[in-house]
Amino acid sequence: MDADRTGVRTPVKLHLSYPCHPAPIREPATSDFGSAPSRSRAPRKFLPITTERPRTGRIVTASAKGDRGNLEFRSAIGLLGIVLAAIAAQLNDAVLNTALSDVAGNIGLSEDTATWLQTLFITGQVLGMCSSPSLGIGLSFRRFALFAVFMNCFPALLMTLGGYNGGAVLTLRFLEGLGAGFTIPLILTIALRTVGPGVRLYALSVYAMTATLTPNLATSFAGLWIDGVRDWHFVFLQPLPFCALAAICIWWGLPAEEGEIDRLKKFDWPGLLFVATGWGSLTIVFEQGDRLDWFNSPLIIVLTLLAAVSLPALFISERFAKVPLMKFSLLKEGNLAYPVLTLILFLVLALTASTVPVSFLEQVQGYKPLQAHTVTLIVALPQFVLLPLTAWILDHRHIDARWVNTTGYVLVIVACLGCAQLTSSWNRDQFYLWQIVQSVGFAFIVMPILMIATNAIEVDEAPYGSALVNTPRAVAEGIGVWAIELIARWRGGLHRDRIVDLVGQNRLTLEQLHLLPTTATEGPDTVYATINGEITRQVATLTTIDTYVLLGSIAIVLMIALWTIPHRTYPPRIALAES
């Protein structure tokens, strides 16, 4: 019983979850401590029970008067640790892919074997992303996050020893990918469980950096280690500082909870097996298909059949599992189905700001990563401002997230059309304007997607929602590789055949106009090499134009999906309060 200013005592109701333990009082939607934990879980350490009712009418914890700031700060530090670990994980992936030829030569791997470093990383990442939320609950998020940090740095440390055992290096790379898969979903899972609706959008802006910031930093780090420092060991050593700081932040910031051992006993092993044979096989098909000539390869045929059988089995298995890894039934909600679909295609679309321009500059202008890195850096650095700014824009009732999302798509389409005007004389300076436009567009795309998705996920469904959102994004990395290689094979082959045919038909005319070297002044080998080099440059230019047009058209498809599938949602501080 409490007394208000008039002296009238008002009763305070307590709800009981168990016969002998009072349940934690539900926080209102505008609570600074986030959504209340599920009734089936013990109260969090930093939410002690109280019956105190302040004059504002809000229910607060007993420690609210003196420790609220400390608790908020510790939670933020814990989340920061997860973010640092995720940055280390993504840099492990992207930097090695950028510097693959240099690193492979130094550790004694052939070109064909080296391609499996990327493939096995993505395969491990898929397995980790689908199982991370469930394992985090079973072991406690603090313990599991520290284990994930260890998985991100220990295999990398062993790979710095070099070695010429290809099998050992590939195994370590798979484990490294597994660690990355364990880490990235923890950002979304922990943010949904601990961050209050009032600041949730700003926490989501931190998660959004894993899609817009770190992938575009890879070229800068690769150029620094390979062309600047000139030591390939740093490609593997770079995650160590991030992981060390992440471990300290996680250990101090996340609450020490007891894991749910019963959940581990009911772990969905059949589902994990089907994920490995289904999504895992599919990623290998996308990554290795072009190199192995697709269905002319027995391996690709077997893996395709395995994926075709395992993926339907996965959907059935998850439907009847006691504790599923993913709840596909959540996709009935259009506001969750749209973000899952969009994140897959967006990560392919985002290649127009990273892989596509860098590849063009390397093939046509002969750039090294150290020379080309500013093209992607100009996309990455503005994200520190653009993502929080977009969160602030979305945090207004009168702003419809779908219109912000549409604006982002329009900006990316404009940038792709601008880059599609390139010629073989373009260098990095001509890309800067369009890269800045893409940088703004990416922030306007990702933040509304995350707001729409998280508003559709209940707190007790956060692990399943996180697995649904993150697992397809790992598969999307393989889809992006497949899309780029498919365009290069089909359109590049067409352009080469047409150019070679035209040069052959008009060779004498071109020589008379001094547009081609003649065998009279130079040897035949030199002439043919010169002609082939110029043809290659023109083919790369035309193929890059096609890539911008085709990938840019994905934004049009996503705009149609945007205005067809999801319905309007409001900022979390409003939407969750009204629900």
Side-chain angles (χ1 to χ4, degrees), residues 80-96 103 121 145-146 148-160 172-173 175-177 179-180 183 214 218 221-222 224-225 231-248 250:
L80 174 63
I82 301 294
V83 172
L84 291 173
I87 290 174
Q90 288 199 298
L91 291 178
N92 273 340
D93 177 21
V95 175
L96 180 58
V103 174
F121 186 96
L146 291 172
V149 171
F150 172 79
M151 289 287 289
N152 280 311
C153 62
F154 186 67
L157 185 61
L158 292 180
M159 280 191 281
T160 59
L172 291 172
R173 186 63 173 165
L175 294 176
E176 200 174 41
T183 305
T214 48
F221 277 98
L224 175 64
W225 306 137
D231 190 341
W232 62 272
H233 292 89
F234 284 97
V235 172
F236 296 114
L237 292 173
Q238 70 183 0
L240 298 185
F242 290 99
C243 289
L245 186 56
I248 295 172
I250 291 169

Side-chain angles (χ1 to χ4, degrees), residues 1 60 83 133 143 226 338 352 366 378 394 431 504 526 532 549:
M1 304 287 288
V60 298
V83 172
R143 293 193 191 102
I226 300 300
Y338 166 73
T352 56
I378 203 171
L394 292 171
F431 284 99
T526 303
N532 182 66
V549 173

Side-chain angles (χ1 to χ4, degrees), residues 20 29 75 81 130 205 220-221 233 310 368 447 455 494 508 571 575:
C20 57
S75 299
C130 72
S205 69
S220 299
F221 277 98
H233 292 89
S310 298
K368 292 282 190 178
M447 282 303 302
N455 280 1
L494 173 64
L508 294 177

